[in-house]
Amino acid sequence: LVPLLIVFVAGTIGSSFGTLVGGTSLITIPVLIFLGLPPYTAIGTDRLGIAGLTSMGWYKFHEKGLINYPIALRMGVAALFGSFLGANLVLEISIALLKKIIAITTALALIPVVAQPKLGREKRDRPIKRHEYRAGIFISFIIGIYGGFYGAMAGTFLLYVLLFIFKQTFLESTATLKISSLMMTTIAAVVFAIKGVIDYPLAAAMFLGCAIGSYFGAHYSDRIGNVWIRRLFIVIVLIMAIKLLIP
């Protein structure tokens, strides 16, 4: 009962801000490993549990009319195929090295966010060009591979795509990425389930916690607004980058 409660609380806390800026798995995966799950099982359990965040976030942001479905579905299909590939790959790379690469890349990507105060605050006023769609789809596929294999910060990388390539606001990006994230995590969860490496009681507790946290985060998102979501994004990404660099 205690492990279930711990995972539920971790999911609730992590998803309350994770539904806005990503990074929930950087809390939940270490918690699952701390509770005794092997790393591979922890990742599989997290992939299923995190679906509570993405599904509830999708529901709430759809209510608010903030999701750009043409973009979301294109990115989602690419991320789905990438995630299927990533979840099936036996990658010959150490998790420690992977974390350092992700931390440094994520932190470096913050530089243009900080340098451009208007980024993510103003609506796009021109149609999306074909080459922008192609770039967004290709990058979403690459992110999907990583999302299927490990997943922590994958949502944040998808948010970068929406900010930099599709020029959405922070609030629009947060909403739109829910579909691609849901497709990415669901297919990965299916692969991990087939491999028999999911702890279903812990996944259920995490799913419920993530759904509750995501509900409140998405519910109050428009009151928080683009300016404060941007500030929260910068702070959380810096914290997560540092956390990834610490063994």
Side-chain angles (χ1 to χ4, degrees):
L1 183 59
V2 173
L4 295 177
L5 182 60
I6 292 174
V7 171
F8 171 80
V9 172
T12 303
I13 295 173
S15 62
S16 62
F17 66 80
T19 196
L20 299 177
V21 297
T24 303
S25 293
L26 285 175
I27 293 177
T28 52
I29 291 178
V31 167
L32 291 167
I33 293 175
F34 171 77
L35 292 173
L37 294 187
Y40 200 59
T41 305
I43 294 170
T45 302
D46 177 80
R47 296 298 82 195
L48 180 57
I50 210 75
L53 182 159
T54 50
S55 55
M56 180 58 73
W58 178 10
Y59 168 73
K60 289 300 295 180
F61 284 118
H62 175 79
E63 277 191 336
K64 295 174 181 290
L66 290 169
I67 298 176
N68 185 316
Y69 278 95
I71 294 176
L73 291 173
R74 284 176 170 87
M75 288 180 62
V77 171
L80 183 149
F81 281 107
S83 182
F84 178 79
L85 179 61
N88 277 288
L89 284 176
V90 180
L91 300 182
E92 297 298 329
I93 182 173
S94 73
I95 292 294
L97 176 60
L98 181 64
K99 287 181 178 180
K100 290 179 181 178
I101 293 172
I102 293 164
I104 294 170
T105 303
T106 306
L108 287 175
L110 272 182
I111 294 175
V113 174
V114 175
Q116 302 177 62
K118 292 184 178 180
L119 180 70
R121 294 174 58 180
E122 299 178 348
K123 284 183 173 291
R124 186 189 186 105
D125 57 2
R126 65 177 178 80
I128 299 172
K129 297 180 179 179
R130 184 173 297 178
H131 75 272
E132 291 173 320
Y133 269 122
R134 289 173 178 169
I137 289 170
F138 175 73
I139 297 173
S140 297
F141 173 74
I142 300 301
I143 294 172
I145 294 175
Y146 162 69
F149 172 64
Y150 183 55
M153 298 295 285
T156 304
F157 283 122
L158 289 172
L159 193 146
Y160 275 131
V161 172
L162 291 162
L163 286 174
F164 287 112
I165 296 179
F166 295 113
K167 307 299 183 185
Q168 288 197 324
T169 65
F170 272 94
L171 198 52
E172 290 170 335
S173 299
T174 294
T176 301
L177 71 82
K178 291 297 174 289
I179 292 180
S180 49
S181 292
L182 179 60
M183 295 171 74
M184 179 175 64
T185 55
T186 299
I187 193 65
V190 169
V191 174
F192 281 110
I194 293 172
K195 294 177 180 291
V197 287
I198 293 179
D199 186 306
Y200 288 100
L202 290 178
M206 181 180 162
F207 184 99
L208 181 60
C210 283
I212 293 173
S214 181
Y215 176 90
F216 285 105
H219 181 75
Y220 292 106
S221 60
D222 49 352
R223 301 186 192 182
I224 298 171
N226 286 306
V227 173
W228 279 100
I229 290 178
R230 177 180 181 274
R231 293 170 180 171
L232 177 64
F233 176 77
I234 293 172
V235 172
I236 293 297
V237 169
L238 279 174
I239 292 173
M240 294 304 176
I242 294 170
K243 185 178 184 300
L244 281 170
L245 289 171
I246 298 174

